[in-house]
Amino acid sequence: MSALVELDDIAVHFNVKAQRSGAAATLRAVDGVSLAVERSQCVGVVGESGCGKSTLAGVLVGMTTPTSGQVRYDGQDVGVHRSKDLRRRVQMVFQDPVASLNPRRRVRSVLSELIDCHGLVPEAGMNSALNSLMEMVNLPQRVLDARPRELSGGQRQRVAIARALAVQPDVLVADEAVSALDVSAQATVVNLLADLRADLGLTIVFISHDLGIIRTLCDRVTVMYAGRVVEEGPADTVFASAQHPYTRALLRAAPDLKRRGAESRSPALEGEPSGALDVITGCPFQPRCPEAEATCSTTPPPFVGSAAHRTACIHAAHQAE
Ligand SMILES: Nc1ncnc2c1ncn2[C@@H]1O[C@H](COP(=O)(O)OP(=O)(O)OP(=O)(O)O)[C@@H](O)[C@H]1O
Ligand SMILES: [Mg+2]
């Protein structure tokens, strides 16, 4: 089956000024990422702050133009300017529903304007379309007449999801969409996303720091480090037998995941990622890697494994041999 959304060797470089010297520099926020998301799949993206997750999300929804690489949608090259229809098909849900919803506008007006703009429902069907959107996100109809500040955080995030669903998308990119919520609101929104996927066949890219949620929700997981993918595979396999030392360090650091014997013997991850402006010749994780060898600082690690589970690490290469 061909992927619904495919990123092929995507780079996003920003021209910035180096903080100390003020000299012009290139920040490689995303540096050669390939990713294939199949229809109705839920793919989790993890990695520490600054590794390029939101930049990648921006590329997926067309908010950010890649410096190089290709984005394909349903097998077609998307190009720089997306059609209105394509923009409709890939929607984003952000971390902060307060910032992403206009506080002065009632929910009904926001949703109906969007539906109108895309000509998705005839005027006579608008009320029933709005009511079914509320049903989809498990909110009472009265929320349609509320303004965002009258709602709880969890309700606001469900309104933000309803806003994304209003335009009947194929893909939802959720960028830390539950991170700002308390635990019970998180569970409600995560369950809602799982239901939407099951009921509507929605394809979801779920960006999160929370490995526990990714394990519950996602079929596949992509682990990013310093703008690159270091490991990617079925969530079950990656959680049970992570191949990359960075993935193993992330799993060890996750408070809600059980330690496994072999993993808990390795030292904990120390230090910080390389500076965003550093040019990396070998493996980006090498300066912090407890398993690094001399070649890791000079040779970029090849991807090894299978198309289903691949890892950018020479140690994984050794295991595969
Ligand atoms: N518009 C921009 N101009 C310059 N640098 C940027 C821009 N957007 C992002 N960056 C930089 O790109 C890198 C990746 O940022 P990004 O927001 O994608 O990370 P992230 O993985 O989403 O982090 P977090 O987990 O904190 O949300 C960071 O170093 C960030 O400062
Ligand atoms: Mg981010």
Side-chain angles (χ1 to χ4, degrees):
M1 190 164 65
S2 79
L4 181 59
V5 192
E6 259 177 301
L7 302 182
D8 188 5
D9 203 15
I10 291 289
V12 181
H13 295 174
F14 294 111
N15 294 322
V16 293
K17 278 192 176 159
Q19 242 172 9
R20 276 193 208 143
S21 63
T26 302
L27 190 152
R28 293 167 169 76
V30 172
D31 206 14
V33 167
S34 298
L35 180 70
V37 184
E38 293 191 358
R39 198 178 282 277
S40 301
Q41 226 173 29
C42 181
V43 174
V45 180
V46 283
E48 64 205 308
S49 190
C51 72
K53 303 179 298 296
S54 295
T55 308
L56 196 70
V59 172
L60 284 167
V61 300
M63 269 169 21
T64 303
T65 307
T67 311
S68 61
Q70 263 197 338
V71 182
R72 280 187 291 275
Y73 190 84
D74 220 358
Q76 303 287 314
D77 188 358
V78 158
V80 178
H81 300 291
R82 293 192 183 193
S83 66
K84 187 176 170 188
D85 185 57
L86 185 55
R87 278 185 272 130
R88 172 184 74 73
R89 285 171 186 274
V90 189
Q91 290 291 310
M92 177 97 111
V93 177
F94 296 92
Q95 172 169 356
D96 184 358
V98 180
S100 68
L101 293 169
N102 183 336
R104 284 188 293 275
R105 292 185 61 191
R106 292 184 200 277
V107 173
R108 179 186 301 280
S109 124
V110 173
L111 299 182
S112 54
E113 182 181 276
L114 271 172
I115 294 172
D116 246 357
C117 166
H118 288 274
L120 296 166
V121 173
E123 187 58 45
M126 184 60 83
N127 272 342
S128 95
L130 293 173
N131 291 343
S132 58
L133 269 175
M134 288 297 101
E135 250 169 58
M136 262 186 224
V137 297
N138 303 323
L139 284 173
Q141 314 283 318
R142 66 183 150 74
V143 167
L144 286 169
D145 295 308
R147 293 189 175 90
R149 66 164 183 273
E150 294 153 14
L151 304 171
S152 72
Q155 286 175 324
R156 278 196 288 255
Q157 197 54 299
R158 279 181 279 163
V159 168
I161 293 171
R163 186 178 57 175
L165 295 178
V167 298
Q168 301 172 14
D170 300 329
V171 184
L172 209 62
V173 178
D175 187 3
E176 303 283 359
V178 299
S179 312
L181 305 177
D182 64 42
V183 176
S184 90
Q186 269 188 358
T188 317
V189 173
V190 168
N191 289 338
L192 169 63
L193 291 174
D195 290 347
L196 289 171
R197 184 182 157 217
D199 299 345
L200 307 176
L202 203 63
T203 306
I204 299 175
V205 177
F206 187 82
I207 296 169
S208 177
H209 284 98
D210 192 322
L211 289 162
I213 296 180
I214 293 218
R215 186 165 65 170
T216 322
L217 187 66
C218 303
D219 335 79
R220 294 185 64 78
V221 59
T222 295
V223 183
M224 285 183 71
Y225 188 84
R228 305 184 191 181
V229 173
V230 295
E231 182 159 3
E232 197 223 347
D236 289 353
T237 321
V238 173
F239 281 103
S241 60
Q243 296 289 301
H244 199 283
Y246 177 61
T247 314
R248 291 203 289 266
L250 278 183
L251 290 171
R252 269 200 310 279
D256 49 349
L257 295 171
K258 273 195 200 148
R259 289 175 179 224
R260 293 180 181 83
E263 285 164 14
S264 54
R265 284 200 297 275
S266 337
L269 180 60
E270 284 173 3
E272 304 245 316
S274 309
L277 301 180
D278 294 346
V279 176
I280 299 163
T281 45
C283 171
F285 187 56
Q286 166 270 328
R288 298 167 84 189
C289 181
E291 297 167 36
E293 295 174 9
T295 50
C296 300
S297 60
T298 52
T299 315
F303 263 112
V304 292
S306 62
H309 183 188
R310 56 194 187 120
T311 313
C313 175
I314 58 159
H315 293 98
H318 292 161
Q319 284 168 24
E321 277 161 10

